[in-house]
Amino acid sequence: METKALFSKMIKNWPGLIFLLALACLMAWLMTDDINRMQAATTNYEYYKNFIYLIVNIAITYFFCIVMLMVFFTYINKQYSKWCVRLFYVLGISVLVYYVIAGQFNTHMFNMIESDHIEEYPKMAHRLYTGPLYWMFVGYFFVPKILKDARKMKEEQDLTI
């Protein structure tokens, strides 16, 4: 797709573009705030608590972007692309990688936080494991429909050729 055609589609859908830009600004602000709070932390507990918030915000943004790319390729571009199927596999592998990294980070965090803050450890671990869960579920519940619609588009394209 040409860049000119992509920009014309974006200008035609200006409310969606404004929404995505506002969402990107919000996530950038949240991540910057997490980094600033990590730098201002005085204990390991505060540092790792803000580090978990940063990890979760990055994961939420990542999984949201994958789902939105699949929606873009299927419904906005309205042409079959193998990228929908590839992004489905990327989503599955990313979930596994996230939980492996979260498990390693959880073990490291347990060893590093002070004993007087150990009662807060379950809350931190819960936030780490369930933070991006919503977008993972959204991805897995809506991706089969997206893939089915992409397959229909491929069949229609094959018939028109």
Side-chain angles (χ1 to χ4, degrees):
M1 177 183 290
E2 283 185 28
T3 307
K4 184 178 177 181
L6 181 65
F7 285 125
S8 67
K9 282 185 181 182
M10 278 196 271
I11 291 173
K12 289 178 186 175
N13 190 8
W14 62 271
L17 181 64
I18 290 172
F19 172 74
L20 289 177
L21 286 174
L23 193 63
C25 290
L26 174 71
M27 293 309 292
W29 176 71
L30 286 173
M31 289 179 203
T32 304
D33 191 43
D34 292 334
I35 292 170
N36 290 337
R37 284 184 290 158
M38 281 174 59
Q39 292 173 346
T42 57
T43 63
N44 283 344
Y45 164 71
E46 291 175 2
Y47 177 80
Y48 283 108
K49 180 178 138 186
N50 293 313
F51 198 15
I52 286 173
Y53 285 134
L54 178 65
I55 290 170
V56 168
N57 284 333
I58 290 170
I60 288 171
T61 305
Y62 177 77
F63 290 116
F64 177 78
C65 287
I66 288 178
V67 171
M68 286 297 112
L69 275 172
M70 292 179 81
V71 167
F72 172 77
F73 285 135
T74 304
Y75 298 113
I76 297 171
N77 197 14
K78 294 188 181 194
Q79 289 184 346
Y80 173 73
S81 174
K82 290 183 181 180
W83 278 104
C84 286
V85 177
R86 291 176 184 158
L87 285 173
F88 174 71
Y89 291 121
V90 167
L91 183 67
I93 292 169
S94 298
V95 168
L96 293 175
V97 168
Y98 176 80
Y99 280 110
V100 166
I101 291 172
Q104 296 295 322
F105 185 77
N106 193 22
T107 304
H108 175 72
M109 178 182 62
F110 180 75
N111 294 330
M112 295 302 291
I113 61 173
E114 296 88 4
S115 59
D116 51 339
H117 295 290
I118 201 71
E119 68 274 356
E120 298 294 324
Y121 172 74
K123 288 183 196 176
M124 294 168 62
H126 182 266
R127 175 74 177 154
L128 180 65
Y129 286 119
T130 60
L133 207 56
Y134 176 76
W135 284 108
M136 290 176 193
F137 281 143
V138 165
Y140 280 114
F141 284 128
F142 290 112
V143 164
K145 180 174 178 8
I146 293 170
L147 292 176
K148 186 173 104 177
D149 291 344
R151 188 183 65 201
K152 283 181 186 177
M153 282 185 212
K154 180 180 183 205
E155 291 171 359
E156 289 174 4
Q157 285 178 351
D158 290 343
L159 289 174
T160 58
I161 294 177

